[in-house]
């Protein structure tokens, strides 16, 4: 059947209406006429498979990646980059308006000068069966492994090292159904190898010791890491702050856009040097340390104990003396401490903030909140909670941290009425 694409979902799918029902079609763009086949029906919506683009958008382009239509890691390579930015802008505006009834101004999205090869981290799944070793990504919403010969979002060095490890899987004694993670520093190009799976502690990493840029190799079993070779940490730098990155710690994957993101957070925080700042979901303390010198003191809270250790280590590494970090759930700890705060910075996972945290911030009467979000849908939900508790959303700045994918980051400033 034929239909016309009229909208876009937060996952980058085109939206059409067929027989009055919302129909989601991957790899399509607003304005296109397409031929589709219904593959999943629900009560309120349905999904369709793209069969043919009958009338393509002038903004459609040929994907650079040969694995694009099968892999599922990217969602927007079929659109030129300017169109990708426009679609993400639209996704943010529609989510805030429709899901949260938020009418604050959304500034034009900040894009990249070069939207390829930007990732400093890649995670591969490796399947060893007999004498054959396959390396790739899982298809979207499945555990079907798609063998990938090259990924356009990572550097040449990361790609070459990935292939080398795959080719030498038997020699290294790579575990069956292993997960291979490679991190690269944008500061010096050094590479950290992390191999997860049963038996990873006893691998033979000799073939990797002579690789020029490999600075460390880790094995991971049951969420515990063991250094098998090299230095314990990778060094990354954003602006004036250097970060020591451990194998299991979270760090933003796009260093170029991260600098822009942190500068926006700093501008929205509008610190004068006298403020007490709460950094909830602080991770390795990346934002805390970036802003610490402009505040009186900074308190970061994070549930991941390894990340908190990294945050404390990074504070010492950068000679930051006014930042403390606590391990635990943000919504629990904030209710246990008596200190008052002038500003709260929130950078939660995709699931957004716990309602109890939003309520605790309102109860403490924190006047200004800067919210960093990677999910416009949960952002809209949480902003609506803030508004219901007497706050106003002042402005929203989207940043394209994940070019070619449907993901979009936003920084929002919220003020207490």
């Amino acid at each position: 059947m034929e239909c016309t694409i009229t909208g876009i979902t937060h996952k980058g799918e085109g939206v059409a209406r067929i027989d009055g029902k919302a129909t989601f079609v991957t790899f399509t763009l607003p304005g296109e006429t397409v031929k589709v086949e219904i593959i999943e029906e629900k009560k309120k919506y349905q999904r369709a498979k793209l069969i043919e683009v009958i009338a393509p958008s002038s903004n459609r382009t040929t994907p650079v990646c040969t694995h694009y239509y099968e892999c599922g890691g990217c969602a927007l390579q079929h659109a030129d980059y300017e169109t990708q930015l426009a679609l993400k802008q639209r996704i943010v505006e529609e989510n805030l308006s429709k899901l949260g009834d938020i009418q604050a101004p959304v500034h034009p999205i900040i894009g990249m000068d070069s939207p390829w090869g930007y990732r400093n981290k890649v995670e591969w799944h490796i399947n060893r069966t007999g004498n054959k070793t396959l390396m790739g990504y899982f298809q979207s919403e499945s555990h079907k492994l798609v063998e990938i010969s090259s990924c356009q979002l990572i550097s040449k060095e990361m790609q070459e090292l990935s292939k080398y490890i795959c080719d030498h899987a038997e020699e290294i004694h790579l575990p069956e159904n292993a997960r291979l993670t490679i991190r690269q520093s944008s500061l010096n190009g050094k590479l950290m190898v992390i191999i997860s799976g049963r038996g990873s502690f006893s691998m033979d990493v000799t073939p990797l010791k002579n690789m020029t840029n490999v600075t460390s190799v880790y094995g991971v079993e049951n969420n515990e890491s063991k250094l098998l070779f090299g230095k314990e940490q990778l060094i990354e730098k954003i602006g004036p702050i250097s970060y020591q990155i451990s194998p299991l710690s979270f760090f933003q994957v796009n260093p170029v856009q991260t600098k822009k993101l942190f500068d926006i957070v700093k501008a929205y925080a509008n610190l004068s040097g006298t403020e007490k700042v709460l950094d909830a979901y602080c991770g390795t303390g990346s934002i805390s340390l970036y802003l610490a010198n402009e505040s009186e003191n900074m308190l970061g809270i994070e549930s991941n104990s390894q990340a908190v250790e990294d945050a404390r280590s990074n504070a010492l590494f950068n000679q930051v003396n006014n930042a403390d970090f606590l391990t635990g759930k943000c919504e629990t700890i904030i209710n246990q401490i008596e200190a008052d705060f002038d500003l709260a910075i929130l950078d939660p996972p995709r699931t957004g903030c716990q309602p109890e945290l939003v309520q605790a911030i309102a109860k403490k009467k924190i006047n200004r909140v800067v919210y960093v979000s990677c999910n416009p849908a949960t952002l809209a939900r949480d902003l609506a909670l803030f508004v219901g508790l007497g706050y106003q959303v002042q402005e929203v700045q989207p940043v394209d941290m994940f070019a070619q994918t449907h993901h979009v980051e936003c920084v929002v400033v919220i003020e207490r009425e």
Side-chain angles (χ1 to χ4, degrees), residues 239-241 259 262-277 287-298 319-323 342-343 345:
I241 305 298
K259 171 69 165 57
F262 286 5
D263 284 341
I264 295 165
V265 173
K266 181 184 288 188
Y268 281 174
N270 193 26
L271 298 173
S272 64
T274 61
E275 294 85 359
K276 298 176 176 64
V277 182
I287 295 178
S288 297
L289 299 178
Y290 202 81
L291 271 62
N293 288 337
E294 299 190 14
S295 66
E296 180 176 318
N297 59 61
M298 181 81 62
Q319 299 181 338
V320 173
N321 301 315
N322 62 336
D342 303 294
L343 169 73
I345 297 171

